[in-house]
Amino acid sequence: MTGNIFVISAPSGAGKSSLVKALCELDTKLKISISHTTRKIRAGEVDGIDYYFINKKNFEEMIFNNEFLEYAEVYGNYYGTNIDTINEFIDNGNDIILEIDWQGAQQVKILMPNVIMIFIKPPSLEELKNRLIRRNTDSSAVIEKRLASVKEDLSHAHKFDYVIVNDQFDNALQEIYAIVSEYRNS
Ligand code: 5GP
């Protein structure tokens, strides 16, 4: 039996990574796909755990060799999901989470219509801005660029199967957990 693929997208700073991490602690059968990216590694990140950090030339070679299920340019960097990573997981019956942007989500939905698409919304743009500042991982120029993309990201939420508002972390976590459990049992 092949596993389910859950695609989870959100604007930057909506709390997606923390939610997904907590979800995987609740449900240890879920695995997170590790993407490739050309973005610079941030403090605290580990190559091969958070992402495979590669240069633009190598990424473009992987595109050329059709090694990505999907890829997109997000905030000026490439991000992509390697086909082999996904196949290896789901062929073994594992459920997998793709934490990818809305462009990648759309590409995956076309190729694999059975994927379950979840969009996480921040409670408000104001709160989102505060979270990005508190996260303290990006310069103010990068934060401004990201905020400018947020409205665009939010305009694609209606294309997803489920939209969750992350105003209360525990509530949002329970909502995602309920969705995952429903598909697990079906
Ligand atoms: P960050 O740089 O903050 O880790 O991620 C920036 C954005 O890139 C997030 O919206 C994240 O979901 C998205 N992203 C991460 N990996 C992938 C991927 O493999 N494909 C696509 N399309 N987007 C990704």
Side-chain angles (χ1 to χ4, degrees):
M1 197 185 75
T2 55
N4 296 300
I5 300 180
F6 298 94
V7 172
I8 304 190
S9 300
S12 191
K16 174 178 49 128
S17 302
S18 312
L19 276 172
V20 169
K21 190 166 169 270
L23 178 66
C24 290
E25 281 163 11
L26 275 180
D27 185 336
T28 51
K29 224 185 137 247
L30 277 173
K31 304 287 174 213
I32 305 177
S33 157
I34 302 169
S35 297
H36 285 67
T37 185
T38 59
R39 152 164 94 56
K40 287 208 169 60
I41 191 164
R42 291 184 187 134
E45 287 183 327
V46 180
D47 186 27
I49 292 185
D50 296 286
Y51 284 103
Y52 296 107
F53 294 93
I54 62 172
N55 63 32
K56 200 172 170 195
K57 182 172 169 285
N58 289 346
F59 199 102
E60 284 170 347
E61 268 170 25
M62 288 181 75
I63 296 174
F64 184 77
N65 293 328
N66 289 322
E67 291 178 55
F68 290 116
L69 172 67
E70 63 73 35
Y71 71 91
E73 198 179 325
V74 188
Y75 315 123
N77 295 300
Y78 278 132
Y79 294 82
T81 306
N82 180 234
I83 293 173
D84 291 342
T85 310
I86 305 303
N87 286 342
E88 200 178 303
F89 274 121
I90 57 172
D91 288 351
N92 289 332
N94 290 302
D95 288 344
I96 192 163
I97 294 185
L98 307 187
E99 272 191 78
I100 61 178
D101 86 314
W102 65 266
Q103 304 170 82
Q106 282 190 330
Q107 294 174 44
V108 175
K109 187 75 179 177
I110 291 166
L111 293 169
M112 299 172 150
N114 289 339
V115 295
I116 300 115
M117 307 245 291
I118 303 171
F119 192 91
I120 299 170
K121 274 186 171 176
S124 68
L125 284 177
E126 187 63 19
E127 176 56 25
L128 178 63
K129 186 173 183 176
N130 292 337
R131 282 186 198 173
L132 284 176
I133 293 168
R134 277 201 303 270
R135 190 166 77 174
N136 204 21
T137 54
D138 299 306
S139 67
S140 54
V142 169
I143 289 179
E144 284 310 315
K145 201 170 158 194
R146 289 194 170 215
L147 280 173
S149 306
V150 167
K151 284 189 183 165
E152 162 82 27
D153 290 349
L154 290 172
S155 73
H156 297 277
H158 68 280
K159 297 171 187 160
F160 285 69
D161 301 312
Y162 300 92
V163 177
I164 290 173
V165 181
N166 186 14
D167 47 1
Q168 291 285 326
F169 184 87
D170 288 335
N171 292 349
L173 177 60
Q174 287 310 322
E175 281 183 54
I176 304 187
Y177 186 52
I179 295 166
V180 170
S181 305
E182 186 189 322
Y183 285 91
R184 170 70 44 75
N185 298 330
S186 63

